[in-house]
Amino acid sequence: MRKFSITIPATSANNGPGFDSTGIAVSRYLELHVEPSNHWVFEHDSPYLEPNPQAEKHYIYFIANKIAKQYDKDLPPAKVIVTSDIPLARGLGSSASAVVAGIELANQLCDLGLTDRDKLKLATSFEGHPDNVAPAIFGGFVISAQFSNDDIDYIKLPKLELDTVIYIPNVELKTSESRKVLPDSFSRSDATAASGISNLMLTALMEKNYELAGKMMERDLFHEPYRAKLIPNYDFIKAEAKKLGAYGTVISGAGPTMISFVEKNKGTELAKAMQAKLENYDVSNALLDDTGLCVSFMD
Ligand code: HSE
């Protein structure tokens, strides 16, 4: 077995009105460095991960083992060193990245020959919706729709000329909690208004009309109005970022992180100014990652 590494970006789902169907990959990464071993070992090298994980209880191992079994293979043992700058339970797709990592680990160790579309279907079956796993696999801004386990369509938008700024508070919010506050149904008039906003947001992005895209991001009616109360400094961050030139600021995934979209090469400046206003936050510029899941072999 050759040594290899697997890299998966963090992701930010929803982007306002693209609830459960759109997401972007951003420049924070989960990396697995894999080498031969006669038994399973996981090591963590990340401030966000507990120091001494047990291999057989590891979520990435669980996923990899499940995939191997699904394809009637035995997962050969390996030593896996995990590095990550994706915080957990903050709305940056940490679980989607881990699912994609487990699938790719099984793909490499068992030589499964999975296509990207296979990986998307498998990852969605674990995550329940494709919005985070699609950009984790393909990079960029991806729109996806799932009709059944075996039927998912997606489109990756042409590369966007944008930076993002992410605002990570020092509190966690579980997706399950953040989904509990959402309504089960919408009236026809609310659904029509919400999907009109989403349609316009996506078309504006395709036309590189970022002013309009940002405006529509901030007008979401599917989830932001219900979740705003769960997100620390929701109104403050939106208003201050707008004053400083952001096109739009939204909840990242299910929160509690927020994310601003800003003119290319302006992210660092906006992050610096916003960090000064937000104590107890990790505010940083994140670039859009256009590569997604990536495997490289050593020697
Ligand atoms: N679309 C999901 C949500 C993202 O907003 O709940 C988190 O998995």
Side-chain angles (χ1 to χ4, degrees):
M1 177 192 146
R2 286 165 73 194
K3 286 188 195 179
F4 61 93
S5 64
I6 300 171
T7 306
I8 307 109
T11 50
S12 179
N14 300 331
N15 316 112
F19 178 66
D20 273 3
S21 74
T22 74
I24 51 162
V26 295
S27 61
R28 282 181 176 240
Y29 298 94
L30 170 68
E31 282 187 276
L32 270 55
H33 305 278
V34 187
E35 51 189 78
S37 171
N38 54 15
H39 62 287
W40 272 101
V41 182
F42 270 83
E43 282 177 12
H44 284 171
D45 183 8
S46 161
Y48 298 116
L49 301 173
E50 50 152 345
N52 298 308
Q54 264 183 280
E56 274 77 12
K57 290 192 176 158
H58 204 284
Y59 187 53
I60 294 175
Y61 170 82
F62 165 79
I63 301 285
N65 200 31
K66 200 151 181 177
I67 297 295
K69 283 206 165 66
Q70 209 166 312
Y71 285 81
D72 287 325
K73 301 271 187 180
D74 285 324
L75 195 63
K79 177 175 173 183
V80 181
I81 300 168
V82 183
T83 65
S84 174
D85 59 359
I86 309 176
L88 308 183
R90 295 298 206 288
L92 286 167
S94 59
S95 91
S97 304
V99 165
V100 173
I103 292 168
E104 191 56 49
L105 186 61
N107 188 35
Q108 294 301 329
L109 291 176
C110 300
D111 208 9
L112 300 179
L114 299 175
T115 64
D116 282 349
R117 190 174 274 276
D118 295 332
K119 292 173 203 172
L120 176 62
K121 286 184 194 167
L122 291 167
T124 303
S125 72
F126 287 103
E127 279 285 288
H129 29 84
D131 52 353
N132 285 103
V133 290
I137 294 168
F138 302 113
F141 189 116
V142 187
I143 304 142
S144 46
Q146 179 184 24
F147 309 100
S148 69
N149 264 358
D150 222 32
D151 191 2
I152 303 173
D153 279 318
Y154 66 90
I155 284 191
K156 177 175 169 177
L157 288 188
K159 204 169 174 179
L160 302 175
E161 286 145 25
L162 290 170
D163 276 3
T164 72
V165 171
I166 51 180
Y167 312 93
I168 308 173
N170 63 358
V171 289
E172 297 188 350
L173 176 59
K174 288 210 167 18
T175 298
S176 52
E177 291 302 313
S178 185
R179 287 181 91 78
K180 275 189 196 156
V181 300
L182 303 178
D184 289 329
S185 58
F186 292 90
S187 68
R188 180 172 17 173
S189 61
D190 286 353
T192 309
S195 77
I197 290 166
S198 183
N199 295 339
L200 202 46
M201 185 267 279
L202 292 171
T203 315
L205 281 177
M206 286 182 67
E207 296 210 331
K208 301 195 187 300
N209 183 343
Y210 298 129
E211 291 281 355
L212 182 59
K215 182 174 168 189
M216 292 302 117
M217 283 177 184
E218 292 197 348
R219 294 230 168 140
D220 166 58
L221 296 174
F222 284 122
H223 75 118
E224 298 232 354
Y226 309 98
R227 285 175 162 167
K229 59 178 181 283
L230 303 178
I231 309 298
N233 296 301
Y234 177 81
D235 290 321
F236 178 80
I237 294 173
K238 270 173 94 160
E240 293 299 310
K242 180 67 90 190
K243 276 190 223 158
L244 291 166
Y247 293 122
T249 301
V250 294
I251 302 169
S252 181
T257 292
M258 293 188 72
I259 181 166
S260 289
F261 292 80
V262 64
E263 202 177 312
K264 186 97 199 117
N265 301 323
K266 294 278 172 71
T268 311
E269 196 184 318
L270 177 61
K272 198 170 163 213
M274 289 296 288
Q275 179 71 81
K277 296 172 189 283
L278 290 162
E279 260 181 59
N280 300 324
Y281 271 74
D282 169 5
V283 182
S284 62
N285 176 26
L287 306 178
L288 298 188
D289 172 287
D290 202 48
T291 307
L293 166 66
C294 177
V295 181
S296 18
F297 289 89
M298 323 304 162
D299 54 55

